[in-house]
Short mmCIF file of all heavy atoms in Angstrom, two decimals:
data_model
loop_
_atom_site.label_atom_id
_atom_site.label_comp_id
_atom_site.label_asym_id
_atom_site.label_seq_id
_atom_site.Cartn_x
_atom_site.Cartn_y
_atom_site.Cartn_z
N GLN A 15 2.17 -156.77 -61.70
CA GLN A 15 0.89 -156.10 -61.95
C GLN A 15 0.36 -155.42 -60.69
O GLN A 15 -0.15 -154.30 -60.74
CB GLN A 15 -0.12 -157.09 -62.50
CG GLN A 15 0.24 -157.57 -63.89
CD GLN A 15 -0.68 -158.67 -64.37
OE1 GLN A 15 -1.88 -158.58 -64.18
NE2 GLN A 15 -0.13 -159.69 -64.99
N LEU A 16 0.49 -156.10 -59.54
CA LEU A 16 0.05 -155.50 -58.29
C LEU A 16 0.86 -154.25 -57.95
O LEU A 16 0.30 -153.25 -57.49
CB LEU A 16 0.14 -156.51 -57.15
CG LEU A 16 -0.94 -157.58 -57.10
CD1 LEU A 16 -0.62 -158.60 -56.01
CD2 LEU A 16 -2.31 -156.97 -56.89
N LEU A 17 2.15 -154.30 -58.20
CA LEU A 17 2.98 -153.12 -57.93
C LEU A 17 2.55 -151.93 -58.79
O LEU A 17 2.53 -150.79 -58.32
CB LEU A 17 4.46 -153.45 -58.16
CG LEU A 17 5.08 -154.34 -57.10
CD1 LEU A 17 6.50 -154.74 -57.50
CD2 LEU A 17 5.09 -153.65 -55.74
N GLU A 18 2.18 -152.19 -60.04
CA GLU A 18 1.70 -151.12 -60.92
C GLU A 18 0.41 -150.52 -60.36
O GLU A 18 0.21 -149.31 -60.38
CB GLU A 18 1.48 -151.67 -62.34
CG GLU A 18 1.27 -150.62 -63.38
CD GLU A 18 2.52 -149.81 -63.70
OE1 GLU A 18 3.64 -150.32 -63.58
OE2 GLU A 18 2.37 -148.63 -64.06
N VAL A 19 -0.45 -151.37 -59.84
CA VAL A 19 -1.71 -150.90 -59.23
C VAL A 19 -1.40 -150.06 -58.00
O VAL A 19 -1.96 -148.97 -57.82
CB VAL A 19 -2.62 -152.10 -58.87
CG1 VAL A 19 -3.78 -151.66 -57.99
CG2 VAL A 19 -3.13 -152.77 -60.12
N PHE A 20 -0.51 -150.56 -57.13
CA PHE A 20 -0.17 -149.81 -55.92
C PHE A 20 0.42 -148.45 -56.26
O PHE A 20 0.12 -147.45 -55.59
CB PHE A 20 0.80 -150.60 -55.04
CG PHE A 20 0.21 -151.86 -54.47
CD1 PHE A 20 1.01 -152.96 -54.27
CD2 PHE A 20 -1.13 -151.95 -54.14
CE1 PHE A 20 0.49 -154.13 -53.73
CE2 PHE A 20 -1.66 -153.11 -53.61
CZ PHE A 20 -0.85 -154.21 -53.40
N LYS A 21 1.27 -148.39 -57.29
CA LYS A 21 1.84 -147.11 -57.70
C LYS A 21 0.75 -146.15 -58.15
O LYS A 21 0.76 -144.97 -57.80
CB LYS A 21 2.85 -147.32 -58.84
CG LYS A 21 4.16 -147.90 -58.41
CD LYS A 21 5.12 -147.90 -59.60
CE LYS A 21 5.71 -149.26 -59.77
NZ LYS A 21 6.51 -149.39 -60.99
N ALA A 22 -0.19 -146.67 -58.93
CA ALA A 22 -1.27 -145.82 -59.45
C ALA A 22 -2.15 -145.30 -58.31
O ALA A 22 -2.56 -144.14 -58.31
CB ALA A 22 -2.12 -146.59 -60.45
N LEU A 23 -2.41 -146.15 -57.32
CA LEU A 23 -3.30 -145.77 -56.23
C LEU A 23 -2.60 -145.03 -55.10
O LEU A 23 -3.25 -144.55 -54.18
CB LEU A 23 -4.01 -147.01 -55.69
CG LEU A 23 -4.94 -147.70 -56.69
CD1 LEU A 23 -5.57 -148.93 -56.06
CD2 LEU A 23 -5.99 -146.75 -57.22
N ALA A 24 -1.27 -144.92 -55.17
CA ALA A 24 -0.52 -144.22 -54.13
C ALA A 24 -0.79 -142.72 -54.17
O ALA A 24 -0.54 -142.01 -53.19
CB ALA A 24 0.98 -144.48 -54.28
N ASN A 25 -1.31 -142.22 -55.28
CA ASN A 25 -1.64 -140.81 -55.41
C ASN A 25 -3.08 -140.61 -54.94
O ASN A 25 -4.00 -141.24 -55.47
CB ASN A 25 -1.47 -140.38 -56.86
CG ASN A 25 -1.87 -138.95 -57.09
OD1 ASN A 25 -3.05 -138.62 -57.04
ND2 ASN A 25 -0.90 -138.10 -57.33
N PRO A 26 -3.33 -139.73 -53.97
CA PRO A 26 -4.69 -139.58 -53.43
C PRO A 26 -5.71 -139.11 -54.45
O PRO A 26 -6.88 -139.49 -54.37
CB PRO A 26 -4.53 -138.57 -52.29
CG PRO A 26 -3.17 -138.01 -52.39
CD PRO A 26 -2.35 -138.90 -53.26
N VAL A 27 -5.30 -138.29 -55.42
CA VAL A 27 -6.26 -137.83 -56.43
C VAL A 27 -6.66 -138.98 -57.34
O VAL A 27 -7.85 -139.16 -57.66
CB VAL A 27 -5.69 -136.64 -57.25
CG1 VAL A 27 -6.63 -136.26 -58.38
CG2 VAL A 27 -5.43 -135.45 -56.34
N ARG A 28 -5.70 -139.79 -57.76
CA ARG A 28 -6.04 -140.94 -58.61
C ARG A 28 -6.96 -141.91 -57.87
O ARG A 28 -7.92 -142.43 -58.45
CB ARG A 28 -4.77 -141.66 -59.09
CG ARG A 28 -3.99 -140.84 -60.10
CD ARG A 28 -2.89 -141.65 -60.77
NE ARG A 28 -1.85 -142.06 -59.85
CZ ARG A 28 -0.60 -141.60 -59.86
NH1 ARG A 28 -0.23 -140.69 -60.76
NH2 ARG A 28 0.29 -142.04 -58.99
N LEU A 29 -6.69 -142.13 -56.60
CA LEU A 29 -7.55 -142.99 -55.79
C LEU A 29 -8.96 -142.41 -55.71
O LEU A 29 -9.95 -143.13 -55.89
CB LEU A 29 -6.95 -143.15 -54.39
CG LEU A 29 -7.73 -144.02 -53.41
CD1 LEU A 29 -7.89 -145.45 -53.93
CD2 LEU A 29 -7.03 -144.02 -52.06
N GLN A 30 -9.07 -141.11 -55.51
CA GLN A 30 -10.39 -140.46 -55.43
C GLN A 30 -11.12 -140.55 -56.77
O GLN A 30 -12.32 -140.83 -56.80
CB GLN A 30 -10.24 -139.00 -55.00
CG GLN A 30 -11.58 -138.30 -54.82
CD GLN A 30 -12.42 -138.96 -53.74
OE1 GLN A 30 -12.01 -139.05 -52.59
NE2 GLN A 30 -13.60 -139.43 -54.08
N VAL A 31 -10.43 -140.32 -57.86
CA VAL A 31 -11.07 -140.41 -59.18
C VAL A 31 -11.62 -141.82 -59.41
O VAL A 31 -12.74 -141.99 -59.88
CB VAL A 31 -10.09 -140.00 -60.32
CG1 VAL A 31 -10.65 -140.37 -61.68
CG2 VAL A 31 -9.79 -138.51 -60.24
N LEU A 32 -10.85 -142.83 -59.04
CA LEU A 32 -11.32 -144.21 -59.19
C LEU A 32 -12.59 -144.42 -58.36
O LEU A 32 -13.53 -145.08 -58.80
CB LEU A 32 -10.23 -145.19 -58.79
CG LEU A 32 -10.47 -146.64 -59.19
CD1 LEU A 32 -10.55 -146.80 -60.70
CD2 LEU A 32 -9.39 -147.53 -58.61
N ARG A 33 -12.63 -143.84 -57.17
CA ARG A 33 -13.84 -143.93 -56.33
C ARG A 33 -15.01 -143.22 -57.00
O ARG A 33 -16.13 -143.73 -57.01
CB ARG A 33 -13.58 -143.34 -54.95
CG ARG A 33 -12.72 -144.20 -54.08
CD ARG A 33 -12.51 -143.55 -52.72
NE ARG A 33 -11.74 -144.39 -51.84
CZ ARG A 33 -10.83 -143.93 -50.99
NH1 ARG A 33 -10.59 -142.64 -50.91
NH2 ARG A 33 -10.16 -144.76 -50.22
N TRP A 34 -14.78 -142.03 -57.53
CA TRP A 34 -15.85 -141.29 -58.20
C TRP A 34 -16.40 -142.07 -59.39
O TRP A 34 -17.60 -142.08 -59.65
CB TRP A 34 -15.36 -139.94 -58.69
CG TRP A 34 -15.10 -138.92 -57.62
CD1 TRP A 34 -15.66 -138.85 -56.37
CD2 TRP A 34 -14.20 -137.82 -57.71
NE1 TRP A 34 -15.15 -137.77 -55.69
CE2 TRP A 34 -14.26 -137.11 -56.49
CE3 TRP A 34 -13.34 -137.35 -58.71
CZ2 TRP A 34 -13.51 -135.96 -56.24
CZ3 TRP A 34 -12.60 -136.21 -58.46
CH2 TRP A 34 -12.68 -135.53 -57.24
N LEU A 35 -15.51 -142.73 -60.13
CA LEU A 35 -15.93 -143.47 -61.32
C LEU A 35 -16.78 -144.69 -60.97
O LEU A 35 -17.46 -145.24 -61.84
CB LEU A 35 -14.72 -143.89 -62.16
CG LEU A 35 -13.99 -142.75 -62.87
CD1 LEU A 35 -12.76 -143.27 -63.58
CD2 LEU A 35 -14.91 -142.03 -63.84
N ARG A 36 -16.77 -145.09 -59.72
CA ARG A 36 -17.63 -146.21 -59.30
C ARG A 36 -19.11 -145.83 -59.46
O ARG A 36 -19.94 -146.67 -59.79
CB ARG A 36 -17.33 -146.59 -57.86
CG ARG A 36 -18.23 -147.70 -57.36
CD ARG A 36 -17.88 -148.06 -55.95
NE ARG A 36 -17.39 -149.42 -55.97
CZ ARG A 36 -16.82 -150.03 -54.96
NH1 ARG A 36 -16.62 -149.38 -53.84
NH2 ARG A 36 -16.44 -151.27 -55.05
N GLU A 37 -19.44 -144.56 -59.21
CA GLU A 37 -20.80 -144.05 -59.34
C GLU A 37 -20.77 -142.76 -60.17
O GLU A 37 -20.94 -141.67 -59.63
CB GLU A 37 -21.40 -143.77 -57.97
CG GLU A 37 -21.54 -144.99 -57.08
CD GLU A 37 -22.10 -144.61 -55.72
OE1 GLU A 37 -21.32 -144.24 -54.83
OE2 GLU A 37 -23.34 -144.67 -55.59
N PRO A 38 -20.57 -142.87 -61.48
CA PRO A 38 -20.41 -141.66 -62.29
C PRO A 38 -21.62 -140.73 -62.27
O PRO A 38 -21.47 -139.52 -62.28
CB PRO A 38 -20.14 -142.20 -63.70
CG PRO A 38 -20.64 -143.60 -63.68
CD PRO A 38 -20.50 -144.08 -62.28
N GLY A 39 -22.82 -141.30 -62.21
CA GLY A 39 -24.02 -140.46 -62.20
C GLY A 39 -24.14 -139.62 -60.95
O GLY A 39 -24.78 -138.57 -60.95
N ARG A 40 -23.53 -140.06 -59.88
CA ARG A 40 -23.57 -139.34 -58.61
C ARG A 40 -22.52 -138.23 -58.54
O ARG A 40 -22.71 -137.23 -57.84
CB ARG A 40 -23.36 -140.34 -57.48
CG ARG A 40 -23.44 -139.75 -56.11
CD ARG A 40 -23.36 -140.85 -55.07
NE ARG A 40 -23.13 -140.24 -53.77
CZ ARG A 40 -22.55 -140.84 -52.77
NH1 ARG A 40 -22.16 -142.09 -52.87
NH2 ARG A 40 -22.37 -140.22 -51.64
N HIS A 41 -21.40 -138.41 -59.25
CA HIS A 41 -20.27 -137.50 -59.08
C HIS A 41 -19.98 -136.59 -60.28
O HIS A 41 -19.17 -135.68 -60.15
CB HIS A 41 -19.01 -138.31 -58.75
CG HIS A 41 -19.13 -139.05 -57.46
ND1 HIS A 41 -19.06 -138.41 -56.24
CD2 HIS A 41 -19.35 -140.35 -57.19
CE1 HIS A 41 -19.22 -139.30 -55.27
NE2 HIS A 41 -19.39 -140.48 -55.82
N PHE A 42 -20.59 -136.88 -61.42
CA PHE A 42 -20.30 -136.10 -62.62
C PHE A 42 -21.60 -135.65 -63.27
O PHE A 42 -22.64 -136.31 -63.12
CB PHE A 42 -19.46 -136.93 -63.60
CG PHE A 42 -18.11 -137.28 -63.05
CD1 PHE A 42 -17.88 -138.52 -62.47
CD2 PHE A 42 -17.06 -136.38 -63.08
CE1 PHE A 42 -16.64 -138.86 -61.95
CE2 PHE A 42 -15.82 -136.70 -62.56
CZ PHE A 42 -15.61 -137.93 -61.99
N PRO A 43 -21.56 -134.55 -64.04
CA PRO A 43 -22.78 -134.00 -64.65
C PRO A 43 -23.28 -134.84 -65.83
O PRO A 43 -22.94 -134.60 -66.98
CB PRO A 43 -22.34 -132.60 -65.10
CG PRO A 43 -20.86 -132.73 -65.34
CD PRO A 43 -20.38 -133.76 -64.33
N VAL A 44 -24.11 -135.83 -65.54
CA VAL A 44 -24.60 -136.76 -66.57
C VAL A 44 -25.39 -136.00 -67.64
O VAL A 44 -25.31 -136.33 -68.82
CB VAL A 44 -25.48 -137.86 -65.93
CG1 VAL A 44 -26.10 -138.76 -66.98
CG2 VAL A 44 -24.65 -138.68 -64.96
N GLU A 45 -26.10 -134.96 -67.25
CA GLU A 45 -26.91 -134.21 -68.23
C GLU A 45 -26.05 -133.51 -69.27
O GLU A 45 -26.51 -133.18 -70.34
CB GLU A 45 -27.83 -133.20 -67.53
CG GLU A 45 -27.13 -132.06 -66.81
CD GLU A 45 -26.58 -132.43 -65.42
OE1 GLU A 45 -26.81 -133.56 -64.95
OE2 GLU A 45 -25.90 -131.59 -64.82
N GLU A 46 -24.76 -133.31 -68.97
CA GLU A 46 -23.85 -132.67 -69.93
C GLU A 46 -23.01 -133.69 -70.70
O GLU A 46 -22.21 -133.32 -71.54
CB GLU A 46 -22.91 -131.72 -69.19
CG GLU A 46 -23.60 -130.56 -68.52
CD GLU A 46 -22.65 -129.71 -67.70
OE1 GLU A 46 -21.44 -129.75 -67.97
OE2 GLU A 46 -23.13 -129.02 -66.78
N ALA A 47 -23.22 -134.97 -70.42
CA ALA A 47 -22.41 -136.01 -71.05
C ALA A 47 -22.81 -136.21 -72.51
O ALA A 47 -23.98 -136.11 -72.86
CB ALA A 47 -22.55 -137.32 -70.29
N LEU A 48 -21.81 -136.48 -73.34
CA LEU A 48 -22.07 -136.79 -74.75
C LEU A 48 -22.55 -138.22 -74.93
O LEU A 48 -23.17 -138.54 -75.92
CB LEU A 48 -20.79 -136.59 -75.58
CG LEU A 48 -20.21 -135.18 -75.63
CD1 LEU A 48 -18.86 -135.18 -76.34
CD2 LEU A 48 -21.18 -134.25 -76.34
N ALA A 49 -22.23 -139.07 -73.99
CA ALA A 49 -22.59 -140.48 -74.05
C ALA A 49 -22.87 -140.97 -72.63
O ALA A 49 -22.53 -140.31 -71.66
CB ALA A 49 -21.46 -141.28 -74.68
N ASP A 50 -23.49 -142.14 -72.53
CA ASP A 50 -23.84 -142.71 -71.22
C ASP A 50 -22.56 -143.02 -70.43
O ASP A 50 -21.76 -143.86 -70.85
CB ASP A 50 -24.66 -143.99 -71.43
CG ASP A 50 -25.15 -144.59 -70.13
OD1 ASP A 50 -24.66 -144.22 -69.05
OD2 ASP A 50 -26.04 -145.45 -70.20
N PRO A 51 -22.36 -142.37 -69.29
CA PRO A 51 -21.13 -142.59 -68.53
C PRO A 51 -20.99 -144.01 -68.00
O PRO A 51 -19.89 -144.46 -67.73
CB PRO A 51 -21.21 -141.57 -67.40
CG PRO A 51 -22.63 -141.18 -67.31
CD PRO A 51 -23.23 -141.38 -68.67
N ARG A 52 -22.09 -144.73 -67.85
CA ARG A 52 -22.00 -146.12 -67.39
C ARG A 52 -21.46 -147.02 -68.49
O ARG A 52 -20.84 -148.04 -68.22
CB ARG A 52 -23.36 -146.60 -66.89
CG ARG A 52 -23.78 -145.91 -65.59
CD ARG A 52 -25.21 -146.23 -65.21
NE ARG A 52 -26.19 -145.91 -66.23
CZ ARG A 52 -26.72 -144.70 -66.44
NH1 ARG A 52 -26.37 -143.70 -65.68
NH2 ARG A 52 -27.60 -144.49 -67.39
N GLU A 53 -21.71 -146.64 -69.74
CA GLU A 53 -21.23 -147.46 -70.87
C GLU A 53 -19.85 -147.05 -71.35
O GLU A 53 -18.99 -147.91 -71.53
CB GLU A 53 -22.22 -147.36 -72.04
CG GLU A 53 -23.50 -148.12 -71.82
CD GLU A 53 -24.40 -148.06 -73.04
OE1 GLU A 53 -23.88 -148.01 -74.17
OE2 GLU A 53 -25.62 -148.07 -72.85
#
Side-chain angles (χ1 to χ4, degrees):
Q15 292 174 43
L16 284 174
L17 287 173
E18 193 70 30
V19 168
F20 294 147
K21 285 187 231 172
L23 296 179
N25 176 289
V27 174
R28 289 191 295 249
L29 179 60
Q30 184 61 59
V31 168
L32 193 63
R33 287 180 177 142
W34 289 334
L35 290 176
R36 178 179 245 170
E37 297 179 273
R40 183 174 167 206
H41 297 286
F42 296 98
V44 175
E45 66 280 355
E46 296 175 23
L48 297 173
D50 184 345
R52 291 171 304 277
E53 287 183 32

